[in-house]
Amino acid sequence: MLVGGPKQTESGRETGRMSDTDGAPGGPMISRPERSGNIGLLIGLAVLLVGAAAAFAVMDREVAQPFILALLGILAVVGVFCLFAGAIGFLRLSARPGEANPLAAAFVDTMDDGALITDTDGRLVYANTAYAELTGADSPSDIRVVERVFSSDPDAADAIFRLSQAMREGRKAQEEIRMPFPLGRVEGSARWYRVSVRPLQPSRERSGKQMSIWQLADITRDRAEQENSFQELQRVINFLDHAPAGFFSSDSQGRIVYLNATLADWLGYDLAQFDAGDLDLSEIVRGDGTELIRSVKGQAGEVKSETFDLDFVTRNGRGLPVRLLHRVPFGENGQPGDSRTLVLNRSRGEGEEASEALRAAEVRFARFFNNTPISIASLNNDGRVLRTNAPFLKLFGAADTVEESPKLEAYVAESGREELSKALSAAAKGIGEISPIDIPLVEGNDPRSATFYVSAVQDGEGDGETAIVYALETTQQRALEAQFAQSQKMQAIGQLAGGVAHDFNNVLTAIIGFSDLLLASHRPTDPSFQDIMNIKQNANRAAGLVRQLLAFSRRQTLRPQQLELNDVLGDLSILLDRLLGEKVELKVVHGRDLWPVMADLNQLEQVIVNLAVNAGDAMAEGGRLTIRTSNVEEAQSTQFDNTRGMPPGEYTLVEVEDTGHGMPPEIMEKIFDPFFSTKEVGKGTGLGLSTVYGIVKQTGGFIFCTSEVDAGTTFRLFLPRHIPEVVEEPKPEPKETEPEKVADLTGSASILLVEDEEAVRAFAARALASRGYTVHEAGSGNEALEVMEEVGGGVDLVVSDVVMPEMDGPTLLVELRKTQPDLKIIFVSGYAEDAFEENLPEGEQFFFLPKPFTLKQLATTVKDVLNG
């Protein structure tokens, strides 16, 4: 059915008009009056021209010449007018642009859906026969646009408005509308219609005018089928929810996406509050049973089914023995899809004929088998895994193979496969006693190992079992053994280093002390003065090396204080820039809101400097050194690589990362050993990193190293977080500055000097005597007690060594306190203060002077103690 452009009735209603081609597809949609008017205009022009030609023939040439010129002028004006009218569309002598293309009209008329073409103003241009039938139009004059068709139902107004708005905006839109009666009728059953609109791109012949095509379809039958399908689905879900067995579905990540009411009731969950993904398999499966469920493997397009006996755990923590009939589909890419799992409650009877005792035994065995801490697997003659328990899958994971029954050797490292193969061969031959083997597993991020116990079995079920393998992971045990061995080695080296340092301190104390005595008796102009100064300077240099040994052995004296690491690094950055040189770029990244730590400032600075200098040596050709700080929460403290042995806790982390040549594993094992160095002879003492190790350990922290050859090295310092106590400090009162006075180091007190090293005792006695003190010497603790008896206790101060034969310094102090509780004492030692403090009574008061010391340090300490 072809309809032309709309005409306006007296009521303003738009109606269609049958074309003058009597419905032939493609006929031009122009009304008869319009077409006859155009033809009349053409005939009139033709008659005028013919009459003018006849008149020219009978008129005199001279008379006709002016008339001819006038006529030609008139014709020229008419021609220009026609051209102008045609250009603006006022005069059209051809088909109207709104008319349908014959081929397009023929195509639209074959559509099952109703089709309607309108212009941007909503005026009807074309409608097919299906549209007329759907809208109840009995004649072309009854055809109405979509807005008019649905105007009888107020409930459809919103949908029609949205469609009209989309038409005006030139975009696609679709709505489904329910009408109480068929369109164009006032009775009958309710109908559903799908109405859509989309723009038609204008053609060149249409002068760029935009049109829209509307489609109308009766979808009542489709909606009825959808409703029936939905009701059927509801019946299936209702049946599944109230089935006597549990059912759940989980995705490939283990998230439960569906749970029926029966299983929810068994587990104690409210199904009304359950949303897909709220629960994970690990929350409802006890122990390592989740690994069993996830162990199902298959190929692309395959559906695998397995049966598992394990325990679920209810919401209140009670165990629930179940049997799972687990089914997993695999997609075209081989990835598992959502599983379908039927759950049978084994705590209830499964049938009248079932043996209760047998069922209970099966439940107990399944619990024992899947909840033991030992991994268990049965193997056939080829060493292929037939059955496993949950701990086995947790320990080994999935083998790197697509085989359904992988060989056990696929789970272990290459280096251990030969030894495992020998044990399995022995089991296949029926050998009873097979020694356990400790072999590494397939390497991942961290090396792992396990001890395998292989037992030969006789196949009693015909499935080819020849061996049962029990595996116990020994990764942690090996790590503890290595850590203990390293600790023992470091402790032994530390004791040796500490003993050497103590003896060296005695020697250096004598050298430095007698150098001070010589300097006191020589003027700077004396030729020997400079030689004595060189002796003292080299002795002080040796004392620095001894301090490094003491730091490694953790026997140096620390003065911990609350530190802000960002401030420490800020102060050090200028020094580090100088030490690294121009080729190495220094980048310091300060963590925000960094926690404070308790450490010795000087020693911590030494740690950073030592690490920075080593990094600079590793980047001889240039590179970048990055020092960053951050807070480490307790949960994060276990996530770092190569940090075994560090307990979880809150730490402040300092990372020192370089882009140098890195280190191989065999070098990394020895980097903290004293006197170990990879540098050329004369370019390092081998005490740098050992000093760092000792300082960090004595501070209570941990240091770890990760390195990759040709990539760089990273040292991580974990220092315990310090939580300061809130104490209100009194405001200091302003004091008037006094001119600095030269300290008076002389005195007249009686001093008991106890020192087993004769050279040190001789220097100290001369130094104190030269300052006016009365000095009583003793070579041991027992001798000191005898001297005290001889002088009748007339001693004001005791200066004593700590490590002495027969009776050490702390024991001497205890004995002296028995007769003189208020006696003041100064301990001198090459070890740290806290190395012997634990041997003294709690709350004991004493003073400490570390070796080696100078004459001035000794005199100053004695003066300060005597003055209170």
Side-chain angles (χ1 to χ4, degrees), residues 177 187 203 268 459 495 504 519 525 640 698 712 763 784 788:
I177 304 173
E187 60 182 6
S203 63
D459 182 16
Q495 288 179 345
F504 263 103
L519 289 173
T525 56
F640 292 88
Q698 195 172 358
F763 149 67
M788 286 292 290

Side-chain angles (χ1 to χ4, degrees), residues 218-290:
D218 188 339
I219 60 170
T220 305
R221 180 178 297 178
D222 294 341
R223 294 286 298 209
E225 291 177 355
Q226 291 177 6
E227 183 67 23
N228 292 336
S229 299
F230 178 75
Q231 291 177 357
E232 184 65 24
L233 180 61
Q234 285 294 102
R235 285 194 292 271
V236 172
I237 293 175
N238 186 58
F239 170 78
L240 193 59
D241 273 345
H242 297 89
F247 182 84
F248 72 88
S249 177
S250 62
D251 61 16
S252 59
Q253 303 299 320
R255 295 184 295 263
I256 297 176
V257 296
Y258 174 76
L259 191 71
N260 76 339
T262 303
L263 183 57
D265 181 60
W266 290 351
L267 297 176
Y269 289 96
D270 185 357
L271 191 60
Q273 298 180 356
F274 171 78
D275 290 327
D278 282 354
L279 282 176
D280 191 86
L281 280 175
S282 59
E283 296 180 62
I284 66 171
V285 180
R286 172 159 288 174
D288 300 325
T290 307

Side-chain angles (χ1 to χ4, degrees), residues 606-676:
Q606 184 180 353
V607 167
I608 302 299
V609 168
N610 282 5
L611 293 177
V613 169
N614 280 353
D617 292 341
M619 297 182 288
E621 302 300 324
R624 183 177 65 256
L625 175 65
T626 303
I627 304 177
R628 64 175 65 89
T629 59
S630 61
N631 294 329
V632 178
E633 302 282 353
E634 183 172 350
Q636 297 175 310
S637 62
T638 59
Q639 305 301 317
F640 292 88
D641 295 336
N642 194 26
T643 56
R644 285 198 178 98
M646 184 179 76
E650 294 182 329
Y651 298 93
T652 301
L653 172 64
V654 181
E655 291 181 289
V656 182
E657 178 183 0
D658 66 60
T659 58
H661 50 65
M663 295 179 289
E666 59 271 16
I667 297 296
M668 285 184 58
E669 293 178 358
K670 304 176 182 179
I671 56 174
F672 294 122
D673 293 356
F675 305 111
F676 175 80

Side-chain angles (χ1 to χ4, degrees), residues 39 43-44 48-49 85 201 273 446 473 559 563 579 595 658 668 672 693 703 765 773 787 817:
I39 294 174
I43 294 174
L48 179 62
L49 292 175
Q201 296 299 327
Q273 298 180 356
D446 288 327
E473 185 176 9
R559 297 287 182 260
L563 297 177
L579 291 174
W595 296 329
D658 66 60
M668 285 184 58
F672 294 122
Y693 178 85
I703 182 169
Y773 296 105
V787 173
R817 284 281 187 261

Side-chain angles (χ1 to χ4, degrees), residues 20 295 382 627 672 686:
D20 61 345
S295 67
D382 295 331
I627 304 177
F672 294 122

